[in-house]
Amino acid sequence: DAYLDREIVLADLAKLVGMSQFHFGRLFKQSLGLSPYQYLLQQRIERAKKLLKYTDKPLVEIALNCGFNSHSHFGRKFRQLTGMTPKAYRVQ
């Protein structure tokens, strides 16, 4: 959670626990049911939902605070996972 706003690289995570990327990814998915990328994306979207609900920060700022490299990437992934745009989520 503390590093969701930063780039998180699979190789770095695997190295941290002393495993190959392949082995780490396989065990991660086996344990949590999601790939590391899917898990990270889900966590970023959950943080974005909280920021959308409880702050009036601009969408661009929320996107960057949640680790997305652009407003459009954030919007696409948010809609893909929630079925609505960040703006629509905020006003609901």
Side-chain angles (χ1 to χ4, degrees):
D1 264 2
Y3 300 104
L4 288 177
D5 61 336
R6 300 180 189 164
E7 182 180 3
I8 298 174
V9 180
L10 182 63
D12 294 340
L13 295 175
K15 186 177 179 182
L16 197 63
V17 295
M19 294 181 189
S20 70
Q21 291 180 49
F22 174 78
H23 193 62
F24 175 80
R26 198 169 57 96
L27 290 177
F28 190 98
K29 187 168 185 170
Q30 191 176 22
S31 295
L32 296 175
L34 297 169
S35 71
Y37 174 76
Q38 291 167 328
Y39 178 81
L40 179 61
L41 184 59
Q42 185 179 52
Q43 295 307 304
R44 287 178 169 164
I45 294 297
E46 288 304 313
R47 177 183 281 179
K49 285 179 175 180
K50 289 176 186 168
L51 292 171
L52 288 166
K53 280 272 191 227
Y54 302 113
T55 73
D56 60 350
K57 291 181 180 185
L59 295 179
V60 172
E61 188 176 334
I62 290 174
L64 295 175
N65 286 342
C66 294
F68 293 95
N69 57 11
S70 71
H71 175 266
S72 61
H73 182 233
F74 168 59
R76 271 193 319 276
K77 292 301 180 180
F78 192 93
R79 186 174 185 145
Q80 183 180 18
L81 290 176
T82 66
M84 61 179 57
T85 65
K87 185 176 179 180
Y89 184 85
R90 176 174 262 171
V91 298
Q92 81 172 19

